[in-house]
Amino acid sequence: MVSSFFADIFKNNCLNIGVLPVTVSASFADRILSEVAKHPDTELEIDLQNQRITLLSTGDGETFDINAYKKGNMQHGFDDIDYLLNMASAIDTFAASR
Amino acid sequence: MEKKTLFDKIWDAHVVKSVPEGPDVFFIDKHFIHEVTSPVAFLNLEKRGIGVRYPHRTIATPDHNVPTVDQDQTIKDKLSRMQVEKLRENCAKYGIELHDLGSAHHGIVHVIGPELGVTQPGMTIVCGDSHTSTHGAFGAIAFGIGTSEVEMVLATQCIMQSKPKKMRISVEGKLGAGVTSKDIILYIISKISAAGATGYFVEYAGSAIQSLSMEARMTVCNMSIEMGARGGLIAPDETTFAYLKGKTYAPSGEEWTKALAYWRTLKTDEGASFDEELQFDAKDIEPMITYGTNPGMGIKVNASIPTAEGMEGSNKSSYLKSLEYMGFSPGEAILGKAVDYVFVGSCTNGRIEDIRSVAQMVKGKKKASNITAWIVPGSREVEKQAHAEGLVAILEEAGFELRQPGCSACLAMNDDKIPAGKYAVSTSNRNFEGRQGPGARTMLASPLTVAAVAITGRITDPREVFGN
């Protein structure tokens, strides 16, 4: 999913269910929209490893940010709940102290 | 010793583990759930074959899509009925405390949490709802989460969160007559925009904030999210402690003394640093109203709608589109515009103090004939108290229709919808296109301003109707 802005809760939901939110500059978002308006079959390439998005028809592109941990989850098909369940006993110890 | 902000103190005390180059594993003390954002979370737990790890840390109530009339009868709307029944089923299955429709403590989740004393200083609180930031009024870290995180909290009592940046907003001085905490927050958002605090957690401070009641502080923290902040909080003080004392879930006896000693440490150390600091003067704040389609589009009620001068490109076109939706023109005055509906309620302004202030203002008067006036208490407790104090009688005499507790017309996810094209002046928190019903035109304001509008039928400065 590509946008120049994502609200926090929506962005977290995306990351947690395996949908990659790509935040681009407002000007790049405008270029994508105008290109798609001209050519509806325009394709975008998203290279998660190198954190780069490219508009294939024009070769235009830019890099995007993603948290390193979230990137790893996305690449390996893990999610936060898998991570947290793996440390359940540490959480239980913490919970008992509160 | 390291100087810490209030936010740091609470955050750091809840980090189970910091993931290298990643988020913190963040422990959640209390989790509120409602009928709309929880069903899929429970369904996914079943798919994973796991249960709820700490059921006693979660509290449930149906509020978003419930009808506000005939709550003792079967819900007519199919989706609403299914979601409420699912909530009942899930709560029974996993042993989660449910404050169901018609029960003594049913209400909007952000109204009943504080009312029951579940919300306490120093806690971490989440709920699948943006306005969870309300609970920050008690000096808690409270924020909204998505359904994927509701599932995470049910499964593990933790979420994975990166620590946000910190902002302090200070409001110093004394508020003028007819100016409420709703005006403070609408003023701040109008100054910094609906995205002005994106990425931050806000601490509100200063003498104007400290002078507010708990209800009024909740209104301020509630709308933190409307400037893009993750949440907002206020250091607990004697006002906070007095509110909590004796509440159902508040500590008592020796536990109270112990809790109080801890709560008194919950303030920002002198010299602690923030990523951003903003200061406002209370004397600059006047009754506010929004004229556009995001909460940052607010002006003093006696001011003119800004012109598009100096705006360019997509900013200008979205500004003009917003005014077109509202049926307003750039540069015109907002005072005197005719209104069709007033709505008093929601997690922003549906507490007893709000209902009290509207009742005091309309006592002995009648609403204008062009106005439909809905007043929806935030909870059964608020409703009960409003009856006991004689407020309901005053409001009904003035022509207001009292409905049963729920989110109601704040988000129109239920039967309470403002018809297309109609103007509503509302004590709620969002004025987005279609928020109060498809095509509905929302103007956000304080309960006092709403009361003034109800009486005159037009956009009115409350100070002119009720004097100073």
Side-chain angles (χ1 to χ4, degrees), chain A residues 21-97:
Chain A
V22 177
T23 308
V24 297
S25 65
S27 63
F28 190 60
D30 280 346
R31 264 179 285 158
I32 296 172
L33 290 173
S34 67
E35 193 63 20
V36 170
K38 278 185 277 178
H39 312 289
D41 55 353
T42 296
E43 287 185 23
L44 282 167
E45 183 184 80
I46 292 163
D47 176 354
L48 178 57
Q49 179 59 40
N50 297 306
Q51 297 177 216
R52 191 164 180 83
I53 175 168
T54 311
L55 194 52
L56 289 179
S57 53
T58 67
D60 257 355
E62 61 180 27
T63 55
F64 61 87
D65 288 332
I66 182 171
N67 178 286
Y69 160 82
K70 292 287 186 188
K71 180 177 172 179
N73 274 2
M74 202 62 85
Q75 286 172 315
H76 301 114
F78 293 154
D79 71 9
D80 285 355
I81 295 183
D82 297 326
Y83 186 96
L84 292 171
L85 289 173
N86 274 327
M87 58 176 289
S89 65
I91 294 172
D92 286 343
T93 309
F94 189 92
S97 74

Side-chain angles (χ1 to χ4, degrees), chain B residues 30 32 59 61 105 107-121 123 125 131-138 140 142 214-215 217-219 221-222 240 242-250 347 351 378-379 381-382:
Chain B
K30 288 290 172 194
F32 293 108
I59 286 184
T61 194
H105 290 290
I108 303 174
V109 64
H110 309 311
V111 176
I112 69 166
E115 214 169 65
L116 285 163
V118 173
T119 302
Q120 294 170 19
M123 280 185 170
I125 297 169
H131 297 102
T132 309
S133 58
T134 312
H135 306 267
F138 290 79
M214 287 317 295
E215 284 86 349
R217 292 179 192 187
M218 284 188 250
T219 303
C221 291
N222 172 278
T240 321
Y243 177 97
L244 280 171
K245 199 164 172 75
K247 291 272 188 287
T248 310
Y249 286 93
C347 58
R351 284 170 283 269
S379 70
E381 185 67 31
V382 171

Side-chain angles (χ1 to χ4, degrees), chain A residues 5 8-9 12-13 16-17 67-70 79-85 87-88 90-92 94-95 98, chain B residues 13-14 17 19 22-23 25 27 29 48 53-54 57 144-149 151-152 156 158 160-161 230:
Chain A
F5 178 80
D8 285 335
I9 293 177
N12 284 341
N13 264 338
N16 290 333
I17 63 169
N67 178 286
Y69 160 82
K70 292 287 186 188
D79 71 9
D80 285 355
I81 295 183
D82 297 326
Y83 186 96
L84 292 171
L85 289 173
M87 58 176 289
I91 294 172
D92 286 343
F94 189 92
R98 293 202 61 84
Chain B
H14 289 83
K17 180 188 169 183
V19 180
V25 174
F27 188 79
D29 291 318
R48 285 178 196 263
R53 199 160 188 95
Y54 293 102
R57 289 184 181 272
I145 56 176
T147 296
S148 63
E149 291 163 313
E151 181 189 349
M152 212 177 292
T156 70
C158 286
M160 310 282 287
Q161 285 283 303
R230 204 73 181 89

